[in-house]
Amino acid sequence: MMRWSIPLVLSAALWAATAPARFREHTIASDLADGYQVLPVDLSGDGLTDLVVVPSRGDKVWWFEAPHWSRHLLVEGVEQPINAAVCTYDTKGRPEIVLAYGFSNYPRKSPGVVTVLRAGADVRGVWSSEIIDQLPTSHRLRCADFEGTGRKVVVNAPLAAETAEPPDYRGRVPLVFYRPGEWRRVVIGADAQGVVHGIEITDWDGDGRDEILVASFLGIHCYDYQAGQWRWQQITSGDPSPWPKGGTSDIAVGKLGKNKFIAAIEPWHGHQVVVYTPGHSEWRRQVIDNSFRDGHALLTSDLNRDGRDEIVAGYRTSDGRVYIYAATDPQGASWQRLHLDTELGPASCAAADLNRDDRPDIVCVGPAQRQLKWYENLGP
């Protein structure tokens, strides 16, 4: 079912100051229990971006086919799924989906199964599943080209150490990757501690190779692959509150013209939206919103094509919100908050061009509301 709403309207002064995009809301589904991640990817091979929705409970994963959003069962029998990524394609050009399931916040109860899903003769039928690993609390799957060869690997970031116990989660958290085709676990390092909730894959230093930014109880750190070795470097310690109430939960890297910034939710499942901008000797921390409860969705995207990224963030309670934050100066010293949705509490949001108009749209899934929504970018 699709529901159209009137485009969002803000004061003339605010629009003039930030020149954000306008959005029209579409409700794709209203019966999705426990939606945790939404992954935009063309599964049908028609050039349109479909949507995979990974729940945090149950044993089924669904996908919605563009442009009419027909629902298809992707896979079943995968208890407690948590995250998926598409980094490679088969010989027919169809994506291989890597899925993590068997997840629990209690490491001793979390087998952390990692499997590769492949389409059969009919992409709309149930996909086959090949288990490639079991790593407790496997939680975040992302694609990275850390060698600069164009061949991406699948990065797996567990939530916590295998022996960790809540609420302190003491222990070092491994970070690993798998080379497609081999699907063998390769350890990157185990330097993060506490809870690792978010990772960001980006060419952090502009050398043509991806780095891995890690958000944990220790703050934000960077794994950089140089001369055959992984280097671990601190960027910032995050929220200064004492363990386990400090550090960083989610991260996204953005740009304001040539100036780089980091957007973050702090602390774990926290109440703050934070922006980090480079200073002379350290990254400056600025809290731009402290009204969140269970902050969980975060991304950056140049929504109005002005060369400056906006921040999209939301929290996943029953009365949650989705906001857009737009910088009002080139350095990111000041930000304006705009309402995108006051009725959805997202666990996940993503940016993708869903209607091929060369504008980044936003799609979010809200577990409490059981909804999947598309916010169509209408331009400035």
Side-chain angles (χ1 to χ4, degrees), residues 231-252:
R231 297 174 55 197
W232 167 261
Q233 299 171 307
Q234 184 181 53
I235 298 174
T236 175
S237 58
D239 187 299
S241 301
W243 187 298
K245 301 295 185 181
T248 305
S249 183
D250 295 277
I251 46 175

Side-chain angles (χ1 to χ4, degrees), residues 138-162:
S138 291
H139 183 249
R140 289 287 180 263
L141 299 176
R142 298 291 185 268
C143 309
D145 177 15
F146 63 84
E147 295 172 313
T149 62
R151 296 188 295 271
K152 294 183 178 181
V153 303
V154 182
V155 178
N156 179 7
L159 182 81
E162 184 174 355

